[in-house]
């Protein structure tokens, strides 16, 4: 079948089958009854052939006449957490001070959820230098003199010292493409936000969006760039991968990047008024013909001399829950920022979607609360008799102790949906998860909503709930949550603003210590 660019773009912008809130043409939401929504448990693929069979089967169950019904979430929305959102996150307002190496002076660091698990930011400092990225320019400021000691124009550098072929808006995308950074020693890792992955032309230098993958086709996704700031700032390596960076964490000099990607399938959606049955059959044929490589994210590495190597996630490094849609993959990449170049990233993937990243020293979790997906299922076709759908959050845990390749350690599931990463906290070997459960689409108005804190622990490849305290803020939803050691604080809101203090010391018997209700907010 002839591949049509417009149709391919529509699909590539449709990242996952579990999120989004826009409707398909005609205002009708398609949902194949074969899409599973049951309990979560971890199952490994026996062979790469089994992986392909499983991906094709799950994708055919999830596809509709107009492609994957994900509401049109773009990969571009998968960039690292915006600074505005991070600053507004509950509990993130305290300043973290740390002593610089070999000095008694202190300096401010990025407000992070967990001490020792640094998060991307627009500005970083090691006490001697302040590093910023804005408008595609990296600047290094000497703290002692308060003067700019070096700068690097990324757009000019990544386009080979000239503007890429095409209109000025291409360079504008290059300049806007890097939104956050991580810092370790003399190396800065710049995180692309995925905004430039779709329409940049290929360039002689292989700039973002023009970098070829192992199949020779341009990688449509995100570029991360390693910059050396020991002297004048210079790019020493770049890494381009299919998909968008959902978020990242840094422990010591080890950076973990969570990338969300979609299968590279091209459905012919340009037909005028096709019969839905025929269109659905045609889409399933596309899936049946797709090779395994169409699901696996590709990557390309460029060193300081311009030498490029490329590869693809190894099918043996892909895991899955027992139930999945095959419309998105989550991949964790690992980079040692003390090294002078970026390597393959040791990718580990799970066939799942995700919205929220939380990490501490030993664990990294990716959560998918599917809040919009389940709400749309409930009101599909405007059926007034549709049964309420209880929203659930799926949780995937990666073991990240040490600096090596992470291990996919298992998954779990709890009722309700999350507010932010601050809804998650691991303490004393247990994961605490604060959620709001609502069986109506409008949680802000839903009188049936209430919140709870679930306590889970690892049991083999499962995250099993061992305790729960519920009934918080009936008719309301969580607006703020923070965990401090064995104590949890939850604020819900509708017309009053209740504050709950929770004792979580006994994971099997969490309880409410106290409650305060104040009129207003």
């Amino acid at each position: 079948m002839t591949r049509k660019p417009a149709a391919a773009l529509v699909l590539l912008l449709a990242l996952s089958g579990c999120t989004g809130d826009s409707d398909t043409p005609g205002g009708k939401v398609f949902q194949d009854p074969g899409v599973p929504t049951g309990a979560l448990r971890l199952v490994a693929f026996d062979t790469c052939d089994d992986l392909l069979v499983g991906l094709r089967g799950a994708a055919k169950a999830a596809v509709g006449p107009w492609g994957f019904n994900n509401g049109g979430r773009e990969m571009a929305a998968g960039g690292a957490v915006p600074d505005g959102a991070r600053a507004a996150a509950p509990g993130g307002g305290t300043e973290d001070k740390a002593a610089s190496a070999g000095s008694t002076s202190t300096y401010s660091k990025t407000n992070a959820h967990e001490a020792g698990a640094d998060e991307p930011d627009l500005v970083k400092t090691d006490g001697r230098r302040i590093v910023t990225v804005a408008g595609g320019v990296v600047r290094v400021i000497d703290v002692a003199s308060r003067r700019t000691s070096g700068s690097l124009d990324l757009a000019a550098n990544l386009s080979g010292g000239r503007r890429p072929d095409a209109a000025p808006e291409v360079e504008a995308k290059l300049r806007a493409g890097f939104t956050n950074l991580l810092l370790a020693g003399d190396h800065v890792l710049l995180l692309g936000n995925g905004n430039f992955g779709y329409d940049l032309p290929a360039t002689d230098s292989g700039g973002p969006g023009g970098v070829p993958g192992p199949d020779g086709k341009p990688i449509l996704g995100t570029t991360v760039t390693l910059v050396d700031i020991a002297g004048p700032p210079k790019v020493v390596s770049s890494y381009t991968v299919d998909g968008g960076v959902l978020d990242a964490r840094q422990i010591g000099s080890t950076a973990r990047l969570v990338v969300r990607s979609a299968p590279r399938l091209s459905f012919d959606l340009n037909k005028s008024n096709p019969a839905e049955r025929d269109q659905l059959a045609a889409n399933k044929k596309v899936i049946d013909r797709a090779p395994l490589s169409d699901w696996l994210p590709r990557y390309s590495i460029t060193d300081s001399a311009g030498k490029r190597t490329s590869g693809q996630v190894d099918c043996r490094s892909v895991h899955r829950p027992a139930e999945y849609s095959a419309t998105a993959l989550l991949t964790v990449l690992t980079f040692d920022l003390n090294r002078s170049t970026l390597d393959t990233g040791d990718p580990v993937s799970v066939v799942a979607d995700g919205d929220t990243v939380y990490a501490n020293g030993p664990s990294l979790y990716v959560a998918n609360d599917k809040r919009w997906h389940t709400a749309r299922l409930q009101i599909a076709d405007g059926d007034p008799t549709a049964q309420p759908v209880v929203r659930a959050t799926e949780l995937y845990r990666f073991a990240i102790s040490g600096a090596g390749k992470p291990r996919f350690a298992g998954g779990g599931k709890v009722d309700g949906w999350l507010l932010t990463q601050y809804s998650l906290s691991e303490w004393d070997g247990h994961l605490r998860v604060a959620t709001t459960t609502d069986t109506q689409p409008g949680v802000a108005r839903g009188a049936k909503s209430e919140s709870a804190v679930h306590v889970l622990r690892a049991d083999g490849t499962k995250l099993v709930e061992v305790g729960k305290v519920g009934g918080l803020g009936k008719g309301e939803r969580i607006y703020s949550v923070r965990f401090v050691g064995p104590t949890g604080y939850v604020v819900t809101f509708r017309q009053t603003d209740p504050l709950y203090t929770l004792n979580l010391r006994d994971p099997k018997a969490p309880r409410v210590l106290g409650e305060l209700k104040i009129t207003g907010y």
Side-chain angles (χ1 to χ4, degrees):
M1 181 172 66
T2 302
R3 294 187 174 221
K4 299 189 176 181
L9 181 60
V10 168
L11 178 61
L12 284 167
L13 291 181
L15 177 59
S16 96
C18 299
T19 51
D21 59 352
S22 63
D23 289 343
T24 49
K28 185 176 181 180
V29 176
F30 178 88
Q31 173 63 28
D32 192 305
V35 176
T37 57
L40 178 67
R41 62 187 178 91
L42 179 67
V43 177
F45 290 105
D46 293 327
T47 67
C48 292
D49 289 338
D50 290 337
L51 171 59
L52 177 58
V53 171
L55 290 174
R56 284 175 173 171
K60 286 194 294 183
V63 77
W66 305 103
F68 294 125
N69 294 320
N70 53 31
R73 168 181 284 181
E74 302 182 6
M75 287 185 193
V81 177
D83 292 275
R86 192 184 310 284
T94 58
E95 185 179 74
D96 182 17
K97 298 278 188 176
S100 60
S103 171
T104 58
S105 63
T106 60
Y107 56 91
S108 296
K109 300 177 68 177
T110 296
N111 293 335
H113 186 172
E114 293 283 3
D118 198 13
E119 303 180 21
D121 207 342
L122 284 170
V123 180
K124 291 287 183 182
T125 181
D126 59 5
R128 297 184 297 112
R129 299 164 295 192
I130 298 173
V131 185
T132 69
V133 58
V137 177
V138 176
R139 292 180 175 85
V140 181
I141 301 169
D142 179 73
V143 171
S145 66
R146 302 182 183 181
R147 296 180 181 275
T148 299
S149 59
S151 64
L152 174 66
D153 188 328
L154 294 166
N157 185 279
L158 293 175
S159 62
R162 59 179 175 80
R163 192 180 73 206
D165 299 332
E169 59 265 22
V170 173
E171 183 174 344
K173 287 192 176 186
L174 277 168
R175 294 190 181 281
F178 295 96
T179 58
N180 279 285
L181 58 89
L182 296 169
L183 172 65
D186 290 328
H187 287 151
V188 175
L189 186 67
L190 300 169
L191 307 183
N193 59 14
N195 285 340
F196 45 68
Y198 299 102
D199 53 5
L200 287 183
T203 66
D204 294 339
S205 64
V211 176
D215 54 6
K217 299 176 182 178
I219 293 177
L220 305 179
T222 299
T223 293
V224 297
T225 299
L226 188 65
V227 175
D228 189 307
I229 60 170
K234 62 180 180 179
V235 172
V236 293
S237 186
S238 63
Y239 183 102
T240 302
V241 62
D242 286 308
V245 176
L246 180 64
D247 210 338
R249 294 294 182 272
Q250 178 185 336
I251 299 174
S253 65
T254 302
R256 312 281 186 177
L257 277 62
V258 181
V259 176
R260 182 173 52 196
S261 62
R264 295 177 300 282
L265 305 177
S266 295
F267 301 131
D268 186 358
L269 305 180
N270 289 337
K271 299 175 182 177
S272 58
N273 300 319
E276 287 194 354
R277 180 182 301 177
D278 294 341
Q279 184 68 54
L280 177 59
N283 291 347
K284 290 186 176 182
K285 287 182 179 179
V286 171
I287 294 171
D288 278 331
R289 291 194 294 265
L292 179 58
S293 58
D294 280 352
W295 273 272
L296 302 178
R298 305 161 300 163
Y299 59 84
S300 180
I301 310 163
T302 305
D303 64 16
S304 59
K307 181 181 177 181
R308 185 183 302 122
T309 57
S310 61
Q312 192 161 28
V313 170
D314 189 338
C315 61
R316 294 168 294 183
S317 295
V318 179
H319 309 269
R320 67 176 175 92
E323 298 168 344
Y324 56 97
S325 69
T327 60
L329 263 75
L330 296 171
T331 301
V332 179
L333 302 172
T334 301
F335 298 112
D336 183 354
L337 301 190
N338 280 336
R339 298 188 58 182
S340 59
T341 187
L342 299 175
D343 55 18
T344 65
D346 284 333
V348 175
S349 300
V350 57
V351 187
D353 195 6
D355 309 281
T356 304
V357 174
Y358 161 75
N360 55 11
S363 303
L364 182 147
Y365 293 89
V366 185
N368 173 32
D369 64 20
K370 305 196 297 185
R371 70 184 73 175
W372 305 117
H373 176 66
T374 51
R376 290 170 64 233
L377 291 185
Q378 183 178 335
I379 59 175
D381 300 329
D383 182 2
T385 64
Q387 295 297 311
V389 177
V390 177
R391 306 172 190 183
T393 294
E394 296 173 352
L395 300 158
Y396 304 99
R397 177 178 176 265
F398 296 84
I400 59 171
S401 295
K405 184 175 183 177
R407 176 175 57 87
F408 184 48
K413 186 175 181 179
V414 295
D415 289 339
W417 53 273
L418 308 178
L419 178 65
T420 62
Q421 63 156 313
Y422 289 88
S423 300
L424 302 169
S425 171
E426 187 179 83
W427 182 78
D428 196 24
H430 291 80
L431 177 68
R432 291 85 61 86
V433 187
T435 66
T436 295
T437 302
D438 182 30
T439 55
Q440 298 181 3
V443 67
R445 302 181 302 275
K448 296 183 180 180
S449 65
E450 64 177 76
S451 299
V453 172
H454 311 259
V455 183
L456 296 84
R457 64 172 175 82
D459 183 4
T461 58
K462 297 181 182 179
L463 293 173
V464 179
E465 184 173 295
V466 296
K468 173 184 175 181
V469 53
L472 308 178
K474 293 185 177 181
E476 302 166 348
R477 71 174 178 88
I478 292 175
Y479 267 73
S480 181
V481 57
R482 186 70 168 179
F483 296 97
V484 181
T487 306
Y489 302 92
V490 176
V491 175
T492 61
F493 175 75
R494 190 182 180 198
Q495 291 181 337
T496 58
D497 208 356
L499 167 64
Y500 299 91
T501 301
L502 311 177
N503 184 337
L504 306 172
R505 188 173 297 277
D506 182 353
K508 295 183 180 180
R511 59 189 177 89
V512 176
L513 278 178
E515 175 183 347
L516 174 66
K517 289 191 176 183
I518 303 174
T519 302
Y521 62 93

